[in-house]
Amino acid sequence: MGQFGFFDADKRLALISAKGDPLEMIDRVVRSRSFRAEIEAATLTPASKKKSNAGRKPLMSLLCFRMLVLQSL
């Protein structure tokens, strides 16, 4: 294996798409943005209950949800 070229990633993604990428199918079928409010209500701590603003900012709830779905598959 030599060094990757500039368009090698695009070619590889095109090959995966041509074979039927399951991630693309999940993205088409599951409308995750439609229940974003419910996910954020269940996962995020309201600002009134926080003791301070210290610490790392939380990850996007929708991103965490997608990661959990992919891990379960």
Side-chain angles (χ1 to χ4, degrees):
M1 292 279 317
Q3 184 175 359
F4 287 111
F6 189 69
F7 295 103
D8 285 343
D10 292 334
K11 291 177 185 176
R12 181 171 171 84
L13 290 175
L15 282 172
I16 293 172
S17 293
K19 290 182 181 179
D21 186 11
L23 296 179
E24 290 178 352
M25 189 270 305
I26 290 172
D27 193 38
R28 278 193 314 262
V29 173
V30 178
R31 303 285 182 210
S32 57
R33 295 193 189 279
S34 63
F35 46 89
R36 180 179 183 171
E38 289 87 1
I39 293 172
E40 288 181 351
T43 59
L44 295 179
T45 305
S48 61
K49 291 188 178 183
K50 289 184 180 179
K51 295 180 182 177
S52 71
N53 288 331
R56 183 181 58 84
K57 299 292 182 201
L59 292 172
M60 286 180 34
S61 299
L62 195 57
L63 177 67
C64 292
F65 174 74
R66 288 180 179 176
M67 287 189 297
L68 288 172
V69 168
L70 290 177
Q71 283 179 353
S72 68
L73 296 176

